[in-house]
Amino acid sequence: MKINPPAASPKSDTPAMAAGRRASGCLVPILADQLTISLASLEAADPATSVVLMAEVQAEATYIRHHKKKIIFLFAAMRHFAAELREAGWRVDYVALDDPANTQTLGSEAARALTRHGLGHVVVTHPGEFRVLVDMESWPDRFGVEVDILPDDRFLCLTRDFNAWAKDKKQLRMEFFYRDMRRQTGLLMNGEEPEGGQWNFDADNRRPPAGNLGVPDQLRIEPDEITRQVIALVEERFADHFGAAEPFWFAVTAGQAWTAFERFLAESLPRFGTYQDAMLVGEGFLFHAVIGLYLNAGLLDPLKVCQAAEAEYRAGRAPLNSVEGFIRQILGWREFIRGTYWLNMPGYEHSNFLGAGRDLPWFYWSGETDMACIGAVVRQTAQEAYAHHIQRLMITGNFALIAGIEPRQVHEWYLAVYADAYEWVEMPNVLGMSLFADGGKLASKPYAASGNYINRMSDYCSRCAYDVDMKTGPSACPFNYLYWDFLARNREKLGRNPRLATAYRSYDKLPELRRQAIAASATVFLDGL
Ligand code: FAD
Ligand code: DLZ
Ligand code: SF4
């Protein structure tokens, strides 16, 4: 038995589709992050003769011990999507977690369903994680069936197009990819020119928080009976996983997710850009969209989301710096990150350019630390399975980078704790952007910063046991001396990076006594972790 090679267009990838027909008599497994009615595999299969398989399995919930809210979100959204598929005329075989016959892995559930329904052909959409792809590629031999793995055309740049773009380029940089994507989609374009005469308005997007910002509330969806059953199941079966199960207020259908997104468009998008990098205690969401979990599970379509944001700008309801900034995250970063993942897998997961080897401190799970910034982000993460980009990058990520925490452990933490985390998006963000563990494949320099940056962009430091103005000693903000110590420790690997030249020059100008005090403070702190 064989895996059919992909054809030129995703919608013509099965032999039947290439001949203008839908494939008949197939099993169509739908994974938890494939909850899209126009999914390639659903469009490729004949609903009259095919069976959709959806399975809640222990192996996927525990290979990384996901946050309770993430599991609730996925199982509840899966159950609602199964109902939607049935209404649309599909025959859906849904295996619940507590079904006594459930064998608790995706592969063995596919095998059981093939036998149960007497089918010999699987049509599936490309999964978002390499290990799942490897498993699916073994199905022809293991189960004696034909398997078509169709490209996931919910992304705006197909993997093969990204690979073609990346080919022969010495360095891959998001900015150039993003410009090509703007031209290709026509988003925020004025003929051949970028709207507003500039591709990127990031310089306008770094305002610190000041005064009462009047942050809008999130739309909180009341769980229905289906979701309440899932909450009870997860509370019972995954009681020892990280995070709070309730209150649970995420959208679990495409319709609800769109309503939540419309609330963002009306209430937050106008200030999204300006305060994109700001952080405030008790305001975890600020003006962010909180849609990563919906986009990644397939409940929202990235192109429609970008078009709706552009319409706000064209109607004069949102400024260009906000709308461009928002579209860049989705059209630029999200697609670029995914391309980077598949371009570098397998192997990317072992990245450790800086040779960092310290264990992840326990306070990443408990939030119990005197560092107010980390405590606030970890507690918010435990409560909401959410932190915004700068919290992930410049607080927990920055600390892990400058403290030299082992990349694999940091990656596993991020994959577990955020409701929007899947390997394709989490891994390059963590290993590439945050930890520089890939040696610069994704980012041109490490995002290392001292307490000064955190103090400028947040209100954390005014509530901290450490003093952000002190540079060394037991009362000094640990980010201050760890920042310099990180540069000193990694000079061999980073010393020639042109974007760090100013930082190294500043370090070299420090008096010798000061450099000794930095090293001593860092040693004491890191030994105490
Ligand atoms: P907004 O700030 O409102 O942005 C809108 C959308 O843009 C997001 O929903 C997301 O789809 C997209 N986006 C923005 N930045 C990125 C980015 N760097 N990569 C990919 N998409 C982006 N994003 C995930 O979806 N899953 C992850 O597991 C994840 N892990 C991260 C780990 C680290 C260390 C860092 C620095 C970033 C990570 N991100 C991840 C990117 C980003 O932080 C989240 O997408 C964002 O915080 C989600 O919240 P939001 O929907 O409110 O986003
Ligand atoms: C993350 C997750 C969880 C918690 N549970 C399931 C599940 O029970 N069934 C399923 O099909 N997928 C689950 N997933 C998502 C997978 O682990 C994996 O991340 C994606 O399917 C990759 O595309
Ligand atoms: Fe974080 Fe340092 Fe500020 Fe404390 S003083 S909140 S440790 S940056």
Side-chain angles (χ1 to χ4, degrees), residues 30-33 55-57 60-61 63 66 70-71 74-75 78 106 127-129 131-132 422:
I30 304 282
L31 305 174
D33 55 349
E56 298 168 2
V57 295
E60 294 303 314
Y63 85 96
H66 299 286
K70 179 179 184 182
I71 306 178
L74 288 178
F75 287 4
M78 284 170 76
L106 291 176
E129 300 194 346
R131 70 182 171 88
V132 181
Y422 304 88

Short mmCIF file of all heavy atoms in Angstrom, two decimals, residues 30-33 55-57 60-61 63 66 70-71 74-75 78 106 127-129 131-132 422, ligand 2:
data_model
loop_
_atom_site.label_atom_id
_atom_site.label_comp_id
_atom_site.label_asym_id
_atom_site.label_seq_id
_atom_site.Cartn_x
_atom_site.Cartn_y
_atom_site.Cartn_z
N ILE A 30 -10.49 13.57 11.31
CA ILE A 30 -10.40 15.02 11.55
C ILE A 30 -9.77 15.21 12.92
O ILE A 30 -10.32 14.76 13.92
CB ILE A 30 -11.80 15.68 11.55
CG1 ILE A 30 -12.57 15.40 10.25
CG2 ILE A 30 -11.71 17.18 11.84
CD1 ILE A 30 -12.16 16.24 9.08
N LEU A 31 -8.62 15.88 12.94
CA LEU A 31 -7.92 16.09 14.21
C LEU A 31 -8.50 17.29 14.95
O LEU A 31 -9.24 18.09 14.37
CB LEU A 31 -6.43 16.31 13.94
CG LEU A 31 -5.74 15.21 13.14
CD1 LEU A 31 -4.30 15.60 12.80
CD2 LEU A 31 -5.76 13.89 13.92
N ALA A 32 -8.10 17.41 16.21
CA ALA A 32 -8.68 18.46 17.06
C ALA A 32 -8.41 19.86 16.55
O ALA A 32 -9.14 20.80 16.88
CB ALA A 32 -8.12 18.33 18.48
N ASP A 33 -7.36 20.04 15.73
CA ASP A 33 -7.07 21.38 15.19
C ASP A 33 -7.45 21.47 13.71
O ASP A 33 -6.90 22.26 12.96
CB ASP A 33 -5.59 21.72 15.39
CG ASP A 33 -4.67 20.67 14.80
OD1 ASP A 33 -5.16 19.58 14.43
OD2 ASP A 33 -3.45 20.92 14.71
N ALA A 55 -11.63 11.51 17.23
CA ALA A 55 -11.33 10.73 18.43
C ALA A 55 -10.65 11.58 19.50
O ALA A 55 -9.64 12.25 19.23
CB ALA A 55 -10.43 9.55 18.06
N GLU A 56 -11.22 11.57 20.68
CA GLU A 56 -10.58 12.18 21.86
C GLU A 56 -9.68 11.10 22.46
O GLU A 56 -10.19 10.05 22.85
CB GLU A 56 -11.64 12.57 22.90
CG GLU A 56 -12.63 13.60 22.42
CD GLU A 56 -13.83 13.73 23.38
OE1 GLU A 56 -13.85 13.05 24.43
OE2 GLU A 56 -14.75 14.49 23.06
N VAL A 57 -8.38 11.35 22.46
CA VAL A 57 -7.50 10.26 22.94
C VAL A 57 -6.54 10.73 24.02
O VAL A 57 -6.00 11.84 23.97
CB VAL A 57 -6.71 9.61 21.77
CG1 VAL A 57 -7.65 8.90 20.80
CG2 VAL A 57 -5.87 10.62 21.01
N GLU A 60 -2.89 11.99 23.08
CA GLU A 60 -2.69 13.37 22.63
C GLU A 60 -2.82 14.36 23.78
O GLU A 60 -2.22 15.44 23.75
CB GLU A 60 -3.67 13.72 21.50
CG GLU A 60 -3.43 12.93 20.23
CD GLU A 60 -2.01 13.11 19.67
OE1 GLU A 60 -1.52 14.24 19.60
OE2 GLU A 60 -1.40 12.08 19.33
N ALA A 61 -3.62 14.01 24.77
CA ALA A 61 -3.81 14.94 25.89
C ALA A 61 -2.67 14.86 26.90
O ALA A 61 -2.52 15.77 27.72
CB ALA A 61 -5.14 14.64 26.59
N TYR A 63 0.80 13.34 26.04
CA TYR A 63 2.20 13.23 25.59
C TYR A 63 2.93 14.51 26.01
O TYR A 63 4.14 14.51 26.28
CB TYR A 63 2.30 12.98 24.08
CG TYR A 63 2.25 14.23 23.22
CD1 TYR A 63 3.42 14.83 22.77
CD2 TYR A 63 1.04 14.82 22.89
CE1 TYR A 63 3.39 15.98 22.01
CE2 TYR A 63 1.00 15.96 22.14
CZ TYR A 63 2.18 16.54 21.71
OH TYR A 63 2.12 17.70 20.97
N HIS A 66 -1.13 18.86 28.73
CA HIS A 66 -1.71 20.16 28.37
C HIS A 66 -2.52 20.78 29.50
O HIS A 66 -3.13 20.07 30.32
CB HIS A 66 -2.64 20.01 27.16
CG HIS A 66 -1.97 19.49 25.93
ND1 HIS A 66 -1.13 20.26 25.17
CD2 HIS A 66 -2.02 18.28 25.32
CE1 HIS A 66 -0.68 19.54 24.14
NE2 HIS A 66 -1.20 18.33 24.22
N LYS A 70 -7.05 24.06 27.78
CA LYS A 70 -6.75 23.72 26.38
C LYS A 70 -7.48 22.43 26.00
O LYS A 70 -8.08 22.33 24.92
CB LYS A 70 -5.24 23.56 26.21
CG LYS A 70 -4.81 23.18 24.81
CD LYS A 70 -3.28 23.08 24.78
CE LYS A 70 -2.75 22.79 23.40
NZ LYS A 70 -1.28 22.65 23.42
N ILE A 71 -7.45 21.45 26.89
CA ILE A 71 -8.13 20.18 26.59
C ILE A 71 -9.64 20.40 26.53
O ILE A 71 -10.32 19.88 25.64
CB ILE A 71 -7.77 19.09 27.64
CG1 ILE A 71 -6.25 18.94 27.75
CG2 ILE A 71 -8.40 17.75 27.26
CD1 ILE A 71 -5.79 17.91 28.79
N LEU A 74 -10.53 22.05 23.24
CA LEU A 74 -10.45 21.19 22.05
C LEU A 74 -11.55 20.13 22.04
O LEU A 74 -12.19 19.91 21.02
CB LEU A 74 -9.06 20.55 21.96
CG LEU A 74 -7.95 21.53 21.56
CD1 LEU A 74 -6.60 20.84 21.53
CD2 LEU A 74 -8.25 22.15 20.20
N PHE A 75 -11.77 19.48 23.18
CA PHE A 75 -12.80 18.43 23.19
C PHE A 75 -14.19 19.06 22.97
O PHE A 75 -15.03 18.50 22.25
CB PHE A 75 -12.78 17.66 24.51
CG PHE A 75 -11.60 16.71 24.65
CD1 PHE A 75 -10.61 16.63 23.69
CD2 PHE A 75 -11.49 15.87 25.77
CE1 PHE A 75 -9.53 15.76 23.82
CE2 PHE A 75 -10.42 14.98 25.91
CZ PHE A 75 -9.43 14.94 24.95
N MET A 78 -14.47 20.01 19.39
CA MET A 78 -14.62 18.80 18.55
C MET A 78 -16.06 18.30 18.59
O MET A 78 -16.64 17.95 17.56
CB MET A 78 -13.69 17.68 19.07
CG MET A 78 -12.22 17.86 18.72
SD MET A 78 -11.17 16.68 19.61
CE MET A 78 -11.46 15.17 18.70
N LEU A 106 -4.35 8.04 18.27
CA LEU A 106 -4.98 8.39 16.99
C LEU A 106 -4.84 7.25 15.98
O LEU A 106 -5.80 6.89 15.29
CB LEU A 106 -4.34 9.67 16.43
CG LEU A 106 -4.61 10.97 17.19
CD1 LEU A 106 -3.83 12.12 16.57
CD2 LEU A 106 -6.10 11.28 17.20
N PRO A 127 -1.26 17.03 9.04
CA PRO A 127 -1.35 17.47 10.45
C PRO A 127 -0.37 18.60 10.75
O PRO A 127 0.52 18.89 9.95
CB PRO A 127 -0.96 16.20 11.22
CG PRO A 127 -0.03 15.49 10.29
CD PRO A 127 -0.50 15.77 8.89
N GLY A 128 -0.52 19.19 11.93
CA GLY A 128 0.30 20.33 12.30
C GLY A 128 1.56 19.95 13.08
O GLY A 128 2.31 20.83 13.48
N GLU A 129 1.76 18.66 13.32
CA GLU A 129 2.95 18.27 14.08
C GLU A 129 3.66 17.14 13.36
O GLU A 129 3.02 16.20 12.86
CB GLU A 129 2.56 17.84 15.50
CG GLU A 129 1.87 18.99 16.23
CD GLU A 129 1.74 18.82 17.74
OE1 GLU A 129 1.95 17.70 18.24
OE2 GLU A 129 1.44 19.81 18.41
N ARG A 131 5.49 14.68 14.41
CA ARG A 131 5.36 13.31 14.95
C ARG A 131 4.03 12.70 14.48
O ARG A 131 3.95 11.49 14.26
CB ARG A 131 5.48 13.29 16.47
CG ARG A 131 4.34 13.91 17.15
CD ARG A 131 4.29 14.02 18.63
NE ARG A 131 3.12 14.85 18.87
CZ ARG A 131 1.89 14.40 19.01
NH1 ARG A 131 1.66 13.11 19.00
NH2 ARG A 131 0.88 15.22 19.15
N VAL A 132 2.97 13.50 14.32
CA VAL A 132 1.68 12.96 13.86
C VAL A 132 1.80 12.58 12.39
O VAL A 132 1.28 11.55 11.95
CB VAL A 132 0.54 13.99 14.09
CG1 VAL A 132 -0.80 13.42 13.64
CG2 VAL A 132 0.47 14.41 15.56
N TYR A 422 0.49 24.51 19.35
CA TYR A 422 0.76 23.28 18.58
C TYR A 422 2.20 23.42 18.14
O TYR A 422 2.69 24.54 17.93
CB TYR A 422 -0.16 23.17 17.35
CG TYR A 422 -1.61 23.22 17.73
CD1 TYR A 422 -2.25 24.45 17.83
CD2 TYR A 422 -2.32 22.07 18.05
CE1 TYR A 422 -3.57 24.52 18.23
CE2 TYR A 422 -3.63 22.13 18.45
CZ TYR A 422 -4.26 23.36 18.54
OH TYR A 422 -5.55 23.43 18.94
C1 DLZ B 2 -3.75 18.82 21.50
C2 DLZ B 2 -4.72 17.68 21.27
C3 DLZ B 2 -5.40 17.10 22.35
C4 DLZ B 2 -5.26 17.59 23.73
N1 DLZ B 2 -6.23 16.08 22.15
C5 DLZ B 2 -6.46 15.62 20.90
C6 DLZ B 2 -7.36 14.53 20.68
O1 DLZ B 2 -7.90 13.95 21.60
N2 DLZ B 2 -7.61 14.17 19.41
C7 DLZ B 2 -7.00 14.77 18.35
O2 DLZ B 2 -7.31 14.44 17.21
N3 DLZ B 2 -6.08 15.75 18.54
C8 DLZ B 2 -5.81 16.20 19.79
N4 DLZ B 2 -4.93 17.22 20.00
C9 DLZ B 2 -4.19 17.78 18.84
C10 DLZ B 2 -3.01 16.88 18.47
O3 DLZ B 2 -2.23 16.58 19.63
C11 DLZ B 2 -2.06 17.50 17.47
O4 DLZ B 2 -1.49 18.65 18.07
C12 DLZ B 2 -2.65 17.98 16.23
O5 DLZ B 2 -3.60 17.12 15.75
C13 DLZ B 2 -1.58 18.23 15.18
O6 DLZ B 2 -2.17 18.68 14.00
#
